Amino acid sequence: MPEFPKVIKRGSVSVNIYETPSKGYAHYTLCYYQDGRRKREFSADYSAILNRANEVLDDLNTGKPPDEGALKAAERAEFIRAKASLKAKNIFLPLDVVALHFAEAVKHLGSDLVIEAAREYARRHPTKLPAKTVAEVVEEIITAKRAQGVSLRYVEDLVYRLGRFKDSIQGNIAHVDSDKLRIFLDGLTKTDGKKMSARSYNNFRLTLVTLFEFAKKRKYLPADWDEFSGVDTMKDKGGAIEIFTPDEISNLLSSAGSDLIPFLTLGAFAGLRSAEIERINWREVKFETGYIIVEAPKAKTASRRQVEMKPNLRAWLRPLAKKNGPVMPYNEDALYKLLRDLSETTKIPWKNNALRHSFISYRVAETGDVNRTALESGNSAAVIFSNYRELVTPREAKKWFAIKPASNYCKRNPAATALAERKAH
């Protein structure tokens, strides 16, 4: 260690370094004169104070006054280390900008949380998300759901709803925002051009939520992507349960061709949903046991159930029965065109879901057994109890399930006539 005070001379000027311990620790004071005034600088690092002494001597010898704001040796070392750290991380911002950003982060988070918060943000917002289009993600989720063994009805619902979405919204799924989602949902219309009901709107919205949650799990979107927070659901006021009267269904059946009879009767006298009827095969209509089997993949609830065939339903279906093949060979658009035509011919307004609603209403009135009707219709007993009780009387129910085809039914339906003749031979 040098002897103190240490005097360092250069040319006509000199500076002194004093050892000035503080609280048991080494400490040093640099003293020099500038413009006749004594100046002092301090450091706990001897090498740093020695370097600073040399800087002061250089300034004094060149006639430049030592700048009190100039970096001291220790501060210069800090500056060099800071610049090296930024370079190592490929950060080429000015040091004062980096300090400003860090200070702002500390202001909001506290110095002990800045790094942790940055890591969490980076985890939720990866800088290199896979560039997946809406169409690609739609295909992925449909493939994944099929592999999971979900019901056929659910898969077809996804295909329909997401198909409309991918046809409307192209491009990277990460670029879809709440505005695009609202524009799509607000523009939804039915096949007749009318606006979607609140329930249909909400069902579409829920399907899209499922799609984007899937995309988040696949890391195609940031973990906290939440554009649906800006897309409200519509208030679903529901509506009164609409049913057909026995006279109305009789008139509809008497005017319908054989191509529509299975749809009308399976809905009216067995309570099958429209989508279930579209998926039923003739081999699942068991005349030998008197039951219709709705397999789990074809049911809305993905649960297998058996529905008893009432005598009048057997009478309507038996002449049309085949060993195999779809009971309803039409797609949804063709089916509803036939129903609109039938409605215009009979002057009977078509009522939404009225075939199934009618079955449940008349069946509850006939049996007085809500739980039994719930099992047959694949619905919940609570919904049936609250919505379908006391809509019709037992007398009307008896009349409903007594509706059978006229004696000339086979003659009026050429397909049925040909089938009956083959059976006779």
Side-chain angles (χ1 to χ4, degrees), residues 81-95 98 128:
R81 288 196 301 271
K83 295 293 285 186
S85 296
L86 293 178
K87 184 177 180 180
K89 301 294 184 181
N90 292 318
I91 299 172
F92 301 103
L93 294 172
L95 192 57
V98 174
K128 294 183 179 180

Side-chain angles (χ1 to χ4, degrees), residues 181-377:
L181 292 169
R182 278 196 303 271
I183 290 171
F184 169 75
L185 290 169
D186 291 344
L188 288 172
T189 59
K190 297 184 287 188
T191 54
D192 60 5
K194 295 181 180 179
K195 293 287 290 184
M196 286 277 184
S197 67
R199 177 171 296 182
S200 294
Y201 178 100
N202 292 338
N203 286 341
F204 262 97
R205 183 185 183 280
L206 181 60
T207 301
L208 293 181
V209 169
T210 301
L211 171 68
F212 282 89
E213 286 299 318
F214 175 85
K216 286 164 66 173
K217 290 179 181 178
R218 291 289 176 98
K219 310 298 184 185
Y220 303 152
L221 293 171
D224 59 354
W225 187 95
D226 189 28
E227 292 297 314
F228 275 102
S229 62
V231 183
D232 294 332
T233 57
M234 289 184 68
K235 187 173 182 179
D236 185 2
K237 298 179 180 178
I241 298 295
E242 292 188 302
I243 65 173
F244 290 115
T245 66
D247 289 340
E248 286 176 330
I249 196 64
S250 293
N251 289 334
L252 287 170
L253 287 169
S254 64
S255 299
S258 59
D259 49 359
L260 267 181
I261 294 296
F263 180 84
L264 295 171
T265 56
L266 284 169
F269 305 132
L272 271 63
R273 297 176 175 88
S274 298
E276 292 171 342
I277 299 172
E278 292 169 21
R279 293 165 178 76
I280 288 288
N281 191 290
W282 278 112
R283 64 175 175 268
E284 293 157 342
V285 181
K286 309 290 186 181
F287 289 99
E288 65 276 15
T289 63
Y291 285 91
I292 299 168
I293 308 300
V294 183
E295 298 291 353
K298 300 180 180 181
K300 179 181 178 181
T301 58
S303 299
R304 185 178 187 271
R305 74 179 192 275
Q306 294 187 125
V307 182
E308 179 184 357
M309 282 193 286
K310 302 287 289 183
N312 69 327
L313 177 59
R314 294 167 66 97
W316 284 104
L317 292 181
R318 187 75 188 190
L320 305 176
K322 301 176 183 178
K323 288 185 178 180
N324 198 2
V327 168
M328 175 50 60
Y330 298 106
N331 62 31
E332 186 175 352
D333 288 340
L335 170 63
Y336 284 100
K337 182 181 184 304
L338 290 173
L339 293 174
R340 286 196 301 271
D341 292 343
L342 178 62
S343 177
E344 291 176 2
T345 299
T346 59
K347 308 301 181 185
I348 298 172
W350 189 253
K351 304 170 186 178
N352 189 43
N353 286 332
L355 295 174
R356 175 173 165 81
H357 292 164
S358 298
F359 168 81
I360 295 175
S361 299
Y362 289 112
R363 187 63 169 155
V364 169
E366 180 188 42
T367 64
D369 191 336
V370 169
N371 290 322
R372 178 178 178 181
T373 305
L375 287 173
E376 292 174 340
S377 60

Side-chain angles (χ1 to χ4, degrees), residues 401-419:
F401 290 111
I403 296 171
K404 291 184 178 181
S407 58
N408 64 344
Y409 174 54
C410 287
K411 293 180 181 180
R412 188 167 57 82
N413 293 283
T417 302
L419 181 61

Side-chain angles (χ1 to χ4, degrees), residues 124-135:
R124 290 177 172 272
H125 298 80
T127 56
K128 294 183 179 180
L129 290 170
K132 286 286 184 175
T133 65
V134 171

